[in-house]
Amino acid sequence: MREPTFLVLTALAGGPQHGYAVIEDIAGMTGGRVRLRAGTLYAALDRLRAEGLIEVDREEIVQSRLRRYYRLTGAGEQSLTAETARLRTQATIAERRLRARRIQLGGATT
Amino acid sequence: MREPTFLVLTALAGGPQHGYAVIEDIAGMTGGRVRLRAGTLYAALDRLRAEGLIEVDREEIVQSRLRRYYRLTGAGEQSLTAETARLRTQATIAERRLRARRIQLGGATT
DNA sequence: TTCTCATATACCGATCATCGGCATATGCTG
DNA sequence: CAGCATATGCCGATGATCGGTATATGAGAA
């Protein structure tokens, strides 16, 4: 799973949101580092829906503009949980090696 | 950064290794889940070298077979450190949301 | 009024990392 | 001698993401 996809699932884990709100949520979540392109977001939404990880929650018309809300499915929650565990495991392995390396090499840089 | 790339850097954080050893190391590290294809590995090695994140450490001939060892550069170490922090941060955010969600929804599944 | 920006969804071509397969070569083991 | 592990490397296909564009409305600025 790529980063944008993971972030979309994370955004929806907090509760149903419509597309544009997901973009904003992710931007906030990442301190502005990640601002998904519309193409990326809606393609991801379609794909995740086809995979059964998210589904349409409801549709609203606000100021004559459509808002389509999405929510995480059970499968989506499981998938996000597994992916999160994977991220944490890999971070831990990398940190252990980096720490060991610093002890070995000291402050030396190539 | 994609997962295979991250894992290559992690492998080299433990010390210089040649390509094939990196594949084995990553397979072990991920409990067999990730076994990089040769094409992926050598392409990644070339790319990371071009980006200055790794460099050739030395070359050996073992049983008339070439072994090219790679090592992490200072830039590579920095990059891996930053990426690891990012992973950890995102895992934390996702976990917080998943936890809050479980409290909200209880055991309900869609 | 008119322009720009934020909101909101959606499509499109281009890019590029990865996948999967193949080629090549050697040495060990059954 | 066949098959497997070791070892590097190329190649075409796939697919997620990027960047841009289109469409539409309302709000606020010029």
Side-chain angles (χ1 to χ4, degrees), chain A residues 18 20 39 42 66-68:
Chain A
H18 60 92
Y20 194 83
Y42 293 104
L66 174 69
R67 276 188 186 174
R68 185 142 45 218

Side-chain angles (χ1 to χ4, degrees), chain A residues 3 12 22 40-41 45-46 60 71 76-78 80 85 88-89 100 110:
Chain A
E3 198 191 1
L12 294 180
V22 169
T40 305
L41 192 264
L45 251 20
D46 287 348
E60 281 179 7
R71 68 164 164 255
E77 186 176 336
Q78 274 177 41
L80 180 59
R88 204 170 265 295
T89 301
T110 310

Side-chain angles (χ1 to χ4, degrees), chain A residues 19 25 31-32 39 42 47 71 75 82 89 92 95-96 107 110:
Chain A
D25 189 10
Y42 293 104
R47 183 167 34 86
R71 68 164 164 255
T89 301
T92 299
E95 271 160 11
R96 186 163 54 232
T110 310

Side-chain angles (χ1 to χ4, degrees), chain B residues 41-100:
Chain B
L41 192 263
Y42 293 104
L45 252 19
D46 287 347
R47 183 166 35 84
L48 291 171
R49 192 156 42 143
E51 289 169 7
L53 301 188
I54 66 173
E55 61 194 359
V56 174
D57 184 67
R58 67 187 188 279
E59 289 182 350
E60 280 178 7
I61 303 291
V62 177
Q63 290 171 336
S64 55
R65 244 183 269 114
L66 175 69
R67 276 189 186 173
R68 185 140 46 219
Y69 286 76
Y70 295 89
R71 73 168 116 92
L72 216 56
T73 62
E77 187 176 334
Q78 275 178 40
S79 183
L80 180 59
T81 301
E83 192 68 7
T84 301
R86 185 180 71 71
L87 252 45
R88 205 169 262 295
T89 301
Q90 285 180 194
T92 300
I93 294 170
E95 271 159 12
R96 186 161 56 232
R97 292 202 180 199
L98 283 165
R99 204 156 38 233

Side-chain angles (χ1 to χ4, degrees), chain A residues 89-107:
Chain A
T89 301
Q90 285 179 197
T92 299
I93 293 169
E95 271 160 11
R96 186 163 54 232
R97 293 203 179 197
L98 283 165
R99 205 159 36 235
R101 174 191 175 78
R102 281 183 205 113
I103 290 164
Q104 281 272 319
L105 274 57

Side-chain angles (χ1 to χ4, degrees), chain A residues 25-75:
Chain A
D25 189 10
I26 290 174
M29 213 191 285
T30 60
R33 186 178 59 85
V34 179
R35 187 170 187 90
L36 258 40
R37 303 283 138 182
T40 305
L41 192 264
Y42 293 104
L45 251 20
D46 287 348
R47 183 167 34 86
L48 291 170
R49 193 155 41 143
E51 289 169 9
L53 302 187
I54 65 172
E55 61 193 0
V56 173
D57 184 68
R58 66 186 189 281
E59 289 183 349
E60 281 179 7
I61 302 292
V62 177
Q63 290 172 337
S64 53
R65 242 182 270 114
L66 174 69
R67 276 188 186 174
R68 185 142 45 218
Y69 286 75
Y70 295 89
R71 68 164 164 255
L72 216 56
T73 63

